[in-house]
């Protein structure tokens, strides 16, 4: 077994054979849960097939509300060195500068963030590197057998494996697709550096429903400028292929008003693409095991609520449910169901799904209701742009009139 501390590889003892909580999956949900429980003195085993999390195109930016969730959980000090903060975001709508928002956002490379969080795990929670070969769950004890033959027994099993299906199938839980290929995200680096870009960060919304683009975000991660495009297309479309082959041309055509300031969108490196379906879990109410994050409920990344929803799961588990479950013998489904029925969790999941569906409909739907909504919204925005321009014109004229 190995653990990762900084750039060094050191040998670590395997997690205890008997623990309070065994967590399978050391991504965002699993690692933060292990960190918080470990800091609270719980005996935890964190299991993942890989010592170092590979680079993966997932969430790359959070807002202040998510950072406050990290603060509440007591892990913000581990997070802050791993992110690039920004607080000056230029917002473009209808091809014009709409607003300049002074709000804090934090960008990161997902793989580097997860590896940094793994480095910050308490010493009593080493990362157990291995794959689960067998799993058995019940009302009292959960038993995991790894491929190397080692055995971990726990009172509670937490499945935090994201989109992976192997462990879910072994337990007998099914994933139901609510909206297949609901949305898509693209990510890539620009050749321009943050110091050479006149914008600290940009958010540019799609102009027409026919484009099926929600918005494009340009922001710094360390010493590089990153672009995320959130849209409602699929991998098989010719548009997607054309974008991957010529992202610079496509972006210059879509956003000519800011192209020059962003180095004419000259791209450095490949275009990462991630297709997302909206899903929920079925058959999860059972003894001894709880599903969290994307292993339980998958929403769309476009509204920017994914990490917040995951942290709501972690917060409710760590501060409310797991301490209560461990106070008394057994780990029956009746106990576990209190988490699934938690009003805070339910509201978080339902709001995430509602926003996922609404964001797509307001961007792409062509029915009368949605055309009227977009017309109403865009008319109000255009009036705000005109009003701001008139105010600026008045301010420029005032000194000469005095």
């Amino acid at each position: 077994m190995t653990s990762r501390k900084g750039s060094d590889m050191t040998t670590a003892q395997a997690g205890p054979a008997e623990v309070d909580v065994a967590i399978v999956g050391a991504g965002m949900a699993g690692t933060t849960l292990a960190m918080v429980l470990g800091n609270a003195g719980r005996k935890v085993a964190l299991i993942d097939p890989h010592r170092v999390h590979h680079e993966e195109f997932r969430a790359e930016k959070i807002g202040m509300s998510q950072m406050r969730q990290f603060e509440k959980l007591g892990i913000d000090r581990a997070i802050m060195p791993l992110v690039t903060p920004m607080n000056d975001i230029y917002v473009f709508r209808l091809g014009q500068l709409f607003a300049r928002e002074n709000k804090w956002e934090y960008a990161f490379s997902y793989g580097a963030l997860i590896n940094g969080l793994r480095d910050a795990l308490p010493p009593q929670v080493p990362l157990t590197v291995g794959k689960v070969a067998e799993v058995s769950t019940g009302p009292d004890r959960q038993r995991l057998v790894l491929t190397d033959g080692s055995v971990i027994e726990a009172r509670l099993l937490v499945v935090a494996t994201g989109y992976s299906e192997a462990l879910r199938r072994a337990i007998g839980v099914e994933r139901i697709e609510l909206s297949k290929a609901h949305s898509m995200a693209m990510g890539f680096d620009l050749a321009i550096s943050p110091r050479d870009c006149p914008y600290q960060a940009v958010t540019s919304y799609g102009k027409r429903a026919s484009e099926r683009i929600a918005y494009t975000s340009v922001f710094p991660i360390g010493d590089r400028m990153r672009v995320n495009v959130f849209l409602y297309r699929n991998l098989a479309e010719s548009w997607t292929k054309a974008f991957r082959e010529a992202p610079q041309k496509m972006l210059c055509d879509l956003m000519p008003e800011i192209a020059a300031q962003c180095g004419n969108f000259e791209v450095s490196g490949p275009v990462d693409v991630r297709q997302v379906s909206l899903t929920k879990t079925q058959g999860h109410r059972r003894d001894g095991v709880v599903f969290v994050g994307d292993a339980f409920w998958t929403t769309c990344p476009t509204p920017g609520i994914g990490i917040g929803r995951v942290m709501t799961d972690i917060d409710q588990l760590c501060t409310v449910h797991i301490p209560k479950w461990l106070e008394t013998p057994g780990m029956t489904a009746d106990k576990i169901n209190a988490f699934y029925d938690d009003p805070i969790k339910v509201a978080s999941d339902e709001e995430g799904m509602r926003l996922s569906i609404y964001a797509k409909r307001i961007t792409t739907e062509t029915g009368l209701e949605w055309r009227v909504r977009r017309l109403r919204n865009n008319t109000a925005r255009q009036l705000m742009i005109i009003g701001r321009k008139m105010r600026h014109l008045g301010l420029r004229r005032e000194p000469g009139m005095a």
Side-chain angles (χ1 to χ4, degrees):
M1 307 297 175
T2 58
S3 67
R4 184 175 181 271
K5 293 293 179 184
S7 59
D8 298 324
M9 291 177 58
T10 58
T11 300
Q13 296 298 316
E18 294 188 5
V19 296
D20 296 323
V21 182
I23 304 168
V24 181
M28 175 65 74
T31 305
T32 54
L33 179 61
M35 185 179 299
V36 177
L37 289 176
N39 288 335
R42 303 293 181 184
K43 295 174 68 176
V44 179
L46 178 61
I47 306 153
D48 194 270
H50 307 288
R51 182 187 62 81
V52 177
H53 195 287
H54 61 280
E55 278 303 327
E56 182 180 14
F57 178 46
R58 292 179 66 89
E60 296 189 327
K61 192 168 64 168
I62 59 173
M64 179 56 78
S65 60
Q66 289 84 17
M67 186 58 73
R68 288 199 179 108
Q69 288 179 299
F70 289 127
E71 290 175 2
K72 183 181 178 185
L73 292 168
I75 58 177
D76 53 303
R77 290 187 178 181
I79 293 284
M80 283 304 297
L82 306 172
V83 301
T84 300
M86 67 200 81
N87 68 341
D88 189 12
I89 296 94
Y90 288 75
V91 179
F92 286 80
R93 289 186 180 274
L94 306 174
Q96 302 176 73
L97 179 62
F98 176 73
R100 189 173 176 181
E101 297 179 343
N102 297 118
K103 64 178 184 180
W104 286 103
E105 294 185 342
Y106 306 87
F108 51 87
S109 171
Y110 186 80
L113 180 71
I114 300 306
N115 287 324
L117 288 174
R118 290 181 180 185
D119 289 347
L121 284 166
Q124 66 272 25
V125 187
L127 176 64
T128 299
V129 180
K131 291 185 177 182
V132 177
E134 300 175 23
V135 58
S136 58
T137 62
D140 294 305
R141 303 294 293 177
Q142 325 313 319
R143 188 173 188 269
L144 301 173
V145 181
L146 306 189
T147 52
D148 65 0
S150 59
V151 176
I152 296 174
E153 292 190 349
R155 291 195 60 192
L156 174 68
L157 169 61
V158 178
V159 178
T161 51
Y163 299 104
S164 177
E165 291 297 317
L167 186 60
R168 296 164 56 86
R169 286 195 296 267
I171 295 172
V173 170
E174 184 181 6
R175 188 190 295 273
I176 305 299
E177 284 190 335
L178 304 177
S179 179
K180 186 177 178 61
H182 179 84
S183 67
M184 188 165 65
M186 294 180 167
F188 48 91
D189 293 344
L190 294 181
I192 193 173
S193 69
R195 65 178 177 274
D196 294 326
C197 186
Y199 300 129
Q200 186 181 44
V202 173
T203 301
S204 180
Y205 289 86
K207 301 170 189 173
R208 294 168 291 275
S210 59
E211 293 176 351
R212 287 185 280 162
I213 294 176
Y215 62 92
T216 300
S217 182
V218 184
F219 54 92
I221 299 181
D223 60 356
R224 58 196 172 98
M225 291 300 289
R226 185 74 172 164
V227 177
N228 284 177
V229 184
F230 297 93
L231 61 163
Y232 301 105
R233 295 181 179 271
N234 61 62
L235 289 168
E237 288 186 46
S238 58
W239 189 98
T240 306
K241 181 179 179 181
F243 192 102
R244 299 182 77 173
E245 291 176 347
Q248 180 180 8
K249 178 183 182 304
M250 299 283 277
L251 277 179
C252 286
D253 290 343
L254 288 168
M255 298 185 295
E257 61 278 358
I258 62 173
Q261 289 85 352
C262 293
N264 288 314
F265 292 115
E266 183 180 351
V267 175
S268 172
V271 176
D272 299 313
V273 180
R274 179 182 166 212
Q275 188 90 62
V276 176
S277 298
L278 305 186
T279 69
K280 68 176 182 179
T281 293
Q282 183 172 285
H284 53 284
R285 295 176 180 266
R286 55 183 62 228
D287 297 333
V289 58
V290 63
F291 295 80
V292 298
D294 286 334
F296 174 68
W297 192 298
T298 304
T299 52
C300 175
T302 302
I305 41 78
I307 288 181
R309 188 176 53 80
V310 170
M311 289 304 106
T312 297
D313 277 4
I314 303 309
D315 187 16
Q316 293 307 107
L317 278 173
C318 291
T319 61
V320 179
H321 299 288
I322 290 179
K324 186 178 294 185
W325 293 344
L326 295 177
E327 285 177 355
T328 57
M331 198 61 64
T332 62
D334 288 342
K335 278 187 173 182
I336 304 295
N337 288 342
F339 169 67
Y340 294 128
D341 296 330
D342 183 318
I344 295 176
K345 173 184 169 50
V346 171
S348 173
D349 286 340
E350 290 182 348
E351 178 71 355
M353 192 62 70
R354 185 190 70 80
L355 289 174
S356 296
I357 294 170
Y358 177 83
K360 182 171 185 175
R361 300 190 77 180
I362 195 65
T363 301
T364 64
E365 288 282 354
T366 57
L368 179 60
E369 174 190 355
W370 296 96
R371 293 204 309 270
V372 170
R373 287 191 184 197
R374 280 195 298 273
L375 178 61
R376 178 197 63 197
N377 293 345
N378 289 337
T379 299
R381 289 162 183 154
Q382 189 65 62
L383 290 173
M384 291 173 67
I385 292 170
I386 293 171
R388 188 187 68 246
K389 288 180 177 179
M390 291 180 67
R391 287 194 300 272
H392 288 175
L393 181 61
L395 288 173
R396 286 198 300 270
R397 287 178 175 178
E398 187 175 348
M401 296 170 62

